[in-house]
Amino acid sequence: MSDTQDPPTEEPPADDQLSGEYDPDDIEPKWQDHWVNADTYAYDGDADTRFSIDTPPPTVSGNLHMGHLYQFTLQDFVARYRRMAEDTVYFPFGYDDNGIASERLTERELDIRHQDFERREFQKKCRDVCDTYEAEFTEDVQSLAISVDWDNTYKTIAPDVQRASQLSFLDLYEKGREYRQRAPTIWCPDCETAISQVEQEDEDKATKFNDIEFELVADSEGPITWDETFTISTTRPELLPACVSVFVHPDDDENQHLVGGTARVPLFGQEVPIIADERVDMETGSGLVMCCTFGDQNDIEWYQAHDLDLRLAIDESATMTDVAGEYEGMHTTEAREAIIEDLDAEGYLLESRDHDHTVQVHERCGVEVEYLVTEQWYIEMLDKKDEYLDAGREMDWYPEKMFSRYKHWIEGLEWDWCISRQRDSGIPIPVWYCADCGEPVMARKADLPVDPLSDDPPVDACPECGHEELTPEEDVFDTWATSSLTPLVNAGWDWDADESAGTADSADDAGEFVWENPELYPFDLRPQGHDIISFWLFHTVVKCYEHTGEVPFENVMINGMVLDENREAMSKSKGNVIPPSEVLENFPVDAARYWAAGTSIGDDFPYKEGDLEAGERLLQKLWNASRLVDQLTPAERPAEPDELSAVDRWLLAELDDTIDSVTGKFEDYAFSKARNELRSFFWNTFCDDYLEIAKQRLSEGGDDSTEYTLITAHRTFLQLFAPFLPHITEELWERLYADGSADAADPVDDATDDDGSVHTTDWPVPGGYEADLKAGETAMEVVSALRRYKTENGLPLNADLDHVEVYGHVAGFEDAIAEAMHVERLDVFEDDPDITTEISGIDLDYSVVGPEFGSDVGAIDDGIESGDYEIDGDTLVVAGEFELGPELFEVEESRTYSGEGEMTETESAVVVVR
């Protein structure tokens, strides 16, 4: 079986093809280059059946990490399986290279600040830096054997993607789903931009809880003429100049007399109303709370609900404004310390104590957010929360439990989606504004992409008031406003303009939305991490649902995160990051892929080298087994014989079951179960049991039944392992089976693709073999037991055994057992032999026995040790006094064979060697 086609690089002589050890250092890079150069994974848009994957574009902000390796490999399991199960797979690759992440990367890489450059100039620097990182990233991804069609790649800053993003904005605006408003905004003072609710994350911080005395000016009865104060507890005294009211809970009887009155803010002197509101947390601090514009979400709600004054004490860079008086110009942290000192000096600070609390920080930089009043663009979402929930229910979730994260996020939404950003690296918002009346003027769809800072508006004057001066929008889109369009981008969603309508003096568009690849949408699968369900998945549902009226994908596969060996998240600050390059210096890529298939999707899991070592052992086992199959079988595969031996038919029937089971697990994205079942069947049943039998059957000449079975099973194993172990399976397939080399009359030759790749063959299907599976499994147990007997007694595996008795169901497999284990006389019995069963010990569950029996546990132990006990049904009675139910103990039994010979037991049989 050594005749093969030429491989992509020079191969060893035919008679030395599978000798020696498997060498991944030589084989893996060879195939990685070949797959890319040969377009092995090219998408065929004309195929009858297809599978489309909406791959997540990684953010260009650094190098490949273990999370990338894990996530990309999971996606590749799907792509490789589906490519064999379907006709073709659309498996693109993208880069999310616009927005804050790429901007901060550029600033860090070049040691510059974006504020020091004109926008176009800084954007070019961002493109140059990202191009370098993307080229390196692409090489890294290709080195992982990710079967991407590299002709279908995209960048979120590319002109066609910019066009799609701006089209999305115009379409949503026309549908009344977008608005521009000056309102409280979540603001990052470090990045100096608005952010959305989804870009915040919790962080525990140690701070001071400060009890501050407020002077009461009036209570519910009116002005007071005596000295009365109350206490406000706060972690943010720098917000005192922005204080506009004090709130009391309606059920706070002790402080109800304050409601309707006024208070004077210490140091700053403004008088503020005291109002009742049920949102006050009576359990925190004094039960009284100040409202400042703005400190948190509650402040915003109170401000809007009670029509309060607006006092902005903090600006976009977290610097105190003129409202802060003598603290103007200080950073908030500096102002906090100064105000606390002055409160203490003036006698207003009653106590300052340590306090741990959770704050909201920007997930990009870790800086605590502020709430500022700014003018931003929003996508309206809060009015359609129920619709977005229903859209999520239309998709199949793997694992199903991840839908709850999607659901909880939507239920907790408090803000519409702020999509504008005050940055330089991003896609421009295609709007101009009338300098007189402020009317927005939208770009024409046919002109996109545009940059209002450098491109002319589509009209000469404001269509609302006729004013001729139009000012450009300076903001750019939130990066998620673009990456949420990946299904539309990849399916070629665009605008086909009717050039006969619309003029240079009109902003009206005529035309229609069109699709370049309509067959892709909705996509079959969205794979992604659970950490961006609220970022990417939810926003994609919103965008695509609004544009198309349907969900963007049918299935969602959610992966977990890679942790360190102590189950802690990997991070540079902890120093526990393990780069993939370090792993792949010590282990083959296929071993890393074996590791990636080792846990259930959705679950976070620790990185353990033991799984990679197990993967390496499997590679060598597969190589060695392939060498043996190659040695045992002819170069040309024989046709299926008219009659298969019982053991061969059994092996093929077991293989049918495995194909069915493994296929079902791939369909359910249960990769760890598929990997483990396949490995177990290959290693234990095929290699350890069946190959031993095959060696004996073929030791004295050919046997068509066994040869056919060996080759059929081996080919099938290579195909089933191919999604997990692409390099070694491709190498073995190319050497042994590619280009129909096994036999021109091979009944499964139609499963061999013209390019000779195992990855473009048809996924195996059951051959319809029937056999007594239970008898065959018992026979394999007997073979294993006899092999173990020989090993334990220092006998070679080919040593003859004079007489063996088998007590169990092995009908039809007697000859296979005898041949494999060199048994001269084999007697088989259905009944059990003469075996004596005795109780050898009692194991107590002390975690239950202790609490139930207390000080009597010692007496129970003594009774068991002395044999003073009996078992009455399922109850253990000790010393005639203590009764223990079946949940409290387990009985250990020993079985003794009283006949001639040495007995060993398997799960289904008893074997006696005489």
Side-chain angles (χ1 to χ4, degrees), residues 9 17-33 35 142-145 583-593 612-613 615-624 724-732 735:
T9 58
Q17 287 208 336
L18 292 184
S19 63
E21 301 290 306
Y22 174 61
D23 184 7
D25 292 338
D26 175 59
I27 289 172
E28 289 187 340
K30 173 185 71 175
W31 284 113
Q32 291 161 13
D33 292 341
W35 291 326
Q142 290 174 350
S143 74
L144 300 177
V583 174
L584 298 180
E585 283 179 5
N586 300 309
F587 295 97
V589 175
D590 280 353
R593 293 171 64 91
L612 288 117
E613 292 166 352
E616 260 191 319
R617 290 192 294 271
L618 176 60
L619 297 180
Q620 198 59 55
K621 187 77 169 181
L622 181 56
W623 185 263
N624 291 340
F724 295 126
L725 313 172
H727 301 92
I728 190 171
T729 55
E730 186 78 299
E731 180 73 12
L732 291 169
R735 293 193 183 193

Side-chain angles (χ1 to χ4, degrees), residues 117-124 127 157 159 162-163 165-167 170 421 423-433 441-458 470-477:
F117 299 88
E118 185 271 337
R119 185 155 91 178
R120 280 276 175 98
E121 182 182 2
F122 182 74
Q123 284 183 343
K124 184 179 184 307
R127 305 296 170 267
I157 201 61
Q162 290 198 42
R163 176 177 171 82
S165 187
Q166 292 181 341
L167 274 174
L170 296 180
R421 296 292 182 269
R423 303 295 286 178
D424 285 332
S425 176
I427 298 175
I429 298 177
V431 182
W432 294 259
Y433 304 97
V441 176
M442 300 290 153
R444 291 192 307 169
K445 297 186 182 75
D447 295 338
L448 303 179
V450 301
D451 184 347
L453 287 181
S454 54
D455 295 329
D456 293 331
L470 299 174
T471 60
E473 171 65 79
E474 297 183 3
D475 289 352
V476 298
F477 289 126

Side-chain angles (χ1 to χ4, degrees), residues 647-791:
V647 71
D648 294 332
R649 179 169 291 278
W650 168 81
L651 189 281
L652 294 175
E654 288 280 12
L655 185 62
D656 277 357
D657 275 6
T658 301
I659 292 171
D660 263 339
S661 180
V662 169
T663 300
K665 290 175 173 60
F666 267 101
E667 291 284 339
D668 291 338
Y669 306 100
F671 306 120
S672 63
K673 292 180 179 179
R675 184 202 77 170
N676 293 341
E677 179 178 350
L678 181 57
R679 179 193 180 280
S680 177
F681 181 63
F682 167 74
W683 194 300
N684 300 326
T685 302
F686 181 73
C687 294
D688 291 352
D689 295 332
Y690 180 77
L691 271 180
E692 291 300 319
I693 295 173
K695 280 196 299 184
Q696 297 304 316
R697 293 173 67 89
L698 296 174
S699 61
E700 297 181 0
D703 181 292
D704 287 351
S705 176
T706 303
E707 291 169 351
Y708 173 84
T709 301
L710 269 178
I711 296 176
T712 299
H714 183 252
R715 287 170 62 100
T716 302
F717 280 125
L718 293 184
Q719 291 174 303
L720 293 176
F721 273 124
F724 295 126
L725 313 172
H727 301 92
I728 190 171
T729 55
E730 186 78 299
E731 180 73 12
L732 291 169
W733 188 269
E734 188 278 329
R735 293 193 183 193
L736 305 178
Y737 302 116
D739 199 26
S741 60
D743 183 35
D746 187 346
V748 291
D749 263 352
D750 58 353
T752 305
D753 191 86
D754 289 341
D755 71 1
S757 173
V758 67
H759 303 295
T760 52
T761 62
D762 290 337
W763 184 254
V765 295
Y769 296 98
E770 296 182 359
D772 187 340
L773 298 182
K774 184 60 179 175
E777 290 168 4
T778 304
M780 294 305 107
E781 291 177 15
V782 172
V783 170
S784 296
L786 293 175
R787 184 187 303 116
R788 186 167 58 252
Y789 168 84
K790 290 183 177 183
T791 301

Side-chain angles (χ1 to χ4, degrees), residues 86-255:
E86 314 283 347
D87 287 335
T88 191
V89 168
Y90 185 82
F91 188 26
F93 196 84
Y95 287 107
D96 193 9
D97 51 6
N98 80 81
I100 292 177
S102 55
E103 186 164 307
R104 293 180 71 89
L105 172 67
T106 301
E107 290 178 321
R108 184 174 68 249
E109 189 78 5
L110 302 180
D111 193 22
I112 60 175
R113 286 178 55 81
H114 70 96
Q115 296 94 332
D116 298 334
F117 299 88
E118 185 271 337
R119 185 155 91 178
R120 280 276 175 98
E121 182 182 2
F122 182 74
Q123 284 183 343
K124 184 179 184 307
K125 293 182 181 297
C126 289
R127 305 296 170 267
D128 292 342
V129 169
C130 289
D131 284 347
T132 300
Y133 272 84
E134 287 163 5
E136 295 175 358
F137 207 97
T138 297
E139 291 182 4
D140 289 340
V141 174
Q142 290 174 350
S143 74
L144 300 177
I146 309 303
S147 61
V148 163
D149 176 5
W150 292 101
D151 289 333
N152 282 310
T153 59
Y154 64 92
K155 299 180 180 182
T156 59
I157 201 61
D160 61 323
V161 182
Q162 290 198 42
R163 176 177 171 82
S165 187
Q166 292 181 341
L167 274 174
S168 169
F169 174 83
L170 296 180
D171 187 45
L172 292 179
Y173 182 78
E174 292 170 0
K175 291 177 176 177
R177 301 302 300 163
E178 286 172 334
Y179 62 92
R180 188 174 186 241
Q181 177 177 294
R182 182 172 177 79
T185 306
I186 307 172
W187 186 270
C188 175
D190 184 62
C191 298
E192 296 188 28
T193 182
I195 63 173
S196 63
Q197 182 181 349
V198 73
E199 293 172 273
Q200 300 179 106
E201 60 184 16
D202 294 340
E203 183 173 305
D204 295 331
K205 285 195 173 183
T207 185
K208 296 288 186 180
F209 214 16
N210 304 283
D211 292 341
I212 300 172
E213 186 177 69
F214 275 58
E215 178 185 349
L216 184 65
V217 178
D219 62 13
S220 58
E221 302 295 327
I224 61 173
T225 57
W226 60 93
D227 292 337
E228 182 175 350
T229 61
F230 59 85
T231 302
I232 293 289
S233 300
T234 180
T235 60
R236 300 199 62 189
E238 72 274 15
L239 287 173
L240 284 172
C243 180
V244 292
S245 68
V246 171
F247 282 96
V248 179
H249 197 282
D251 297 335
D252 185 353
D253 295 334
E254 182 180 347
N255 292 308

